[in-house]
Amino acid sequence: MNVAFGEDDIQDPWYPMGDGNMLDVLHAGLHATQMMGYTEIMNAYRFITHNGARAMHVTDQYGLEVGKPAHLILMASDNFYNALNQRAAVTLSIHAGRIISETQPATTQLFI
């Protein structure tokens, strides 16, 4: 069974707080499904990437291979768990191989 998380309401009357940030959707989904194990969280990116593409029948354009369109984001984090937990900044957004947004990340230190 393919399970994917998504969002279709971006600043509209049904969900005025929607901003298209799939990390927020994933964060809420993990809480709702109580998927709190480290390995589950580290693999949860698939719900908003691979599984989402499969649910939308996006096959020939999806994946990292020469000749496919480059649609991706880079985040200021050392791994996905930290990116999700710390709401890591998207430092680079690329659409069709072209940089459409770039942000210099803030420096954060966590002392726990």
Side-chain angles (χ1 to χ4, degrees), residues 11-23:
Q11 295 182 359
D12 63 14
W14 294 273
Y15 187 51
M17 296 181 56
D19 63 1
N21 185 336
M22 294 309 294
L23 291 181

Side-chain angles (χ1 to χ4, degrees), residues 23-38:
L23 291 181
D24 289 342
V25 173
L26 182 59
H27 195 266
L30 291 177
H31 279 86
T33 59
Q34 298 183 12
M35 295 178 68
M36 294 293 127
Y38 180 78

Side-chain angles (χ1 to χ4, degrees), residues 21-23 48 71-75 88-94:
N21 185 336
M22 294 309 294
L23 291 181
I48 59 173
H71 306 304
L72 61 114
I73 61 170
L74 297 178
M75 294 182 286
V90 173
T91 57
L92 198 62
S93 181
I94 300 174

